[in-house]
Amino acid sequence: MPSPLSPPSPHSARPPRSAAPRSAASGDDLVAVLRAAGCVFAEDEAELIRTAARTPDEAAAMAERRAAGLPLEHVVGWAEFHGLRITVEPGVFVPRRRTEFLVDQALAAAPHASVVVDLCCGSGAVGAALAASLGQVELHAADIDPAAMSCARRNIAEYGGLAYQGDLFEALPAQLRGRVGILAANVPYVPTGEVPLLPAEAREHEPLTALDGGGDGLDVLRRVVAEAPRWLAPGGCLLVETSERQAPAAVEAFTRSGLAVRLARDDELYAHVVVGTRVTGDAGDAGDTGAAGVS
């Protein structure tokens, strides 16, 4: 989720390389509208809008919506994420490019995972990316927001994924306890007092539940970490994105839960991911672990 220390780029979508040549007049008109609105990547955005639109009138209307402040991904209806085109509907959290680092860390930590859960899934981008890379997996996604769940169902359907609406683990089937190989939880982690400092595109067009992480930004993270060991298979991993400032407290929460923890970072993406692994020992009421999600 976004952090005021590293504002999300609204330009995760990029024009396809094979886009057909545009007419100079229509292209220049779109660029002019976007540039007047202060879009830094006006040429790129205009090309993407022109390619996505079915008619010149539709392209003009899309450019006006973008100029009015709607996130580019909501305008064109999709975002590029980990090599996939992810459907993103208005009002749904836009997947950030830095979260691709969380996907990469999950694949490195559990390359043979057979059960994947995308918690706080938003559009389902993380789950879709994991399933696309892992191949045959049992994929589950959950979010509290109904608009997000509608979007996620579309994005994970190709992989046979199942989506559930509800509050964190309460949304998941009980039979997943003790079976999850990868538990990716892209929780909100912006401190409540810093939400007003976020870019207007996030503040005004994405759900507050996907942004606001409570007083210090770690309320939802602590809830997830406290319960995660009951759901992980032996060797299963929990991965959560956080900020540099919050990383020490996040690592402490993972340690208290009994997980073997490490912090991964990517300076170029300004990404920080805490990885916790259930190695051995008591996982509470995890249930039958005979059908482990890690092989």
Side-chain angles (χ1 to χ4, degrees), residues 144-253:
I144 198 169
D145 181 66
M149 291 320 305
S150 174
C151 197
R153 286 188 179 97
R154 295 175 60 185
N155 286 316
I156 66 175
E158 177 181 350
Y159 310 101
L162 299 174
Y164 315 92
Q165 183 184 343
D167 185 20
L168 300 179
F169 295 99
E170 292 177 8
L172 298 176
Q175 58 265 33
L176 284 176
R177 288 179 181 246
R179 298 184 55 237
V180 180
I182 293 176
L183 175 53
N186 197 18
V187 302
Y189 58 86
V190 180
T192 300
E194 297 180 20
V195 170
L197 305 179
L198 289 172
E201 289 187 13
R203 262 191 349 261
E204 298 174 4
H205 298 287
E206 295 180 315
L208 185 62
T209 54
L211 303 171
D212 191 341
D216 65 353
L218 297 176
D219 286 0
V220 182
L221 181 147
R222 291 190 183 95
R223 290 179 58 202
V224 169
V225 173
E227 195 169 346
R230 300 183 180 93
W231 295 83
L232 292 174
C237 298
L238 166 67
L239 301 98
V240 178
E241 185 178 286
T242 189
S243 71
E244 180 178 21
R245 182 181 64 190
Q246 296 162 319
V251 168
E252 181 182 353

Side-chain angles (χ1 to χ4, degrees), residues 31-89:
V31 171
V33 169
L34 297 173
R35 189 173 286 153
C39 296
V40 177
F41 301 99
E43 289 83 0
D44 286 349
E45 294 194 19
E47 179 65 10
L48 182 59
I49 287 171
R50 196 198 66 82
T51 304
R54 291 165 293 186
T55 67
D57 285 347
E58 184 177 26
M62 291 169 71
E64 291 294 342
R65 290 199 297 274
R66 174 63 181 138
L70 194 68
L72 176 63
E73 294 82 357
H74 289 167
V75 171
V76 299
W78 64 275
E80 180 186 348
F81 184 81
H82 212 266
L84 302 178
R85 181 176 288 203
I86 299 296
T87 296
V88 181
E89 298 168 351

Side-chain angles (χ1 to χ4, degrees), residues 10-21:
H11 311 291
S12 63
R14 286 289 181 260
R17 294 174 182 168
S18 58

Side-chain angles (χ1 to χ4, degrees), residues 55-142:
T55 67
D57 285 347
E58 184 177 26
M62 291 169 71
E64 291 294 342
R65 290 199 297 274
R66 174 63 181 138
L70 194 68
L72 176 63
E73 294 82 357
H74 289 167
V75 171
V76 299
W78 64 275
E80 180 186 348
F81 184 81
H82 212 266
L84 302 178
R85 181 176 288 203
I86 299 296
T87 296
V88 181
E89 298 168 351
V92 175
F93 182 82
V94 175
R96 294 352 186 208
R97 295 298 293 271
R98 68 169 167 268
T99 306
E100 294 177 351
F101 182 63
L102 184 150
V103 173
D104 291 336
Q105 290 298 308
L107 294 172
H112 305 295
S114 58
V115 179
V116 173
V117 170
D118 183 2
L119 204 60
C120 302
C121 69
S123 65
V126 170
L130 288 169
S133 296
L134 290 168
Q136 289 291 328
V137 294
E138 180 183 336
L139 174 61
H140 303 265

Side-chain angles (χ1 to χ4, degrees), residues 251-270:
V251 168
E252 181 182 353
F254 272 65
T255 301
R256 285 199 305 269
S257 75
L259 299 173
V261 61
R262 66 179 177 87
L263 175 65
R265 61 183 294 165
D266 184 302
D267 292 333
E268 182 177 347
L269 293 173
Y270 203 75

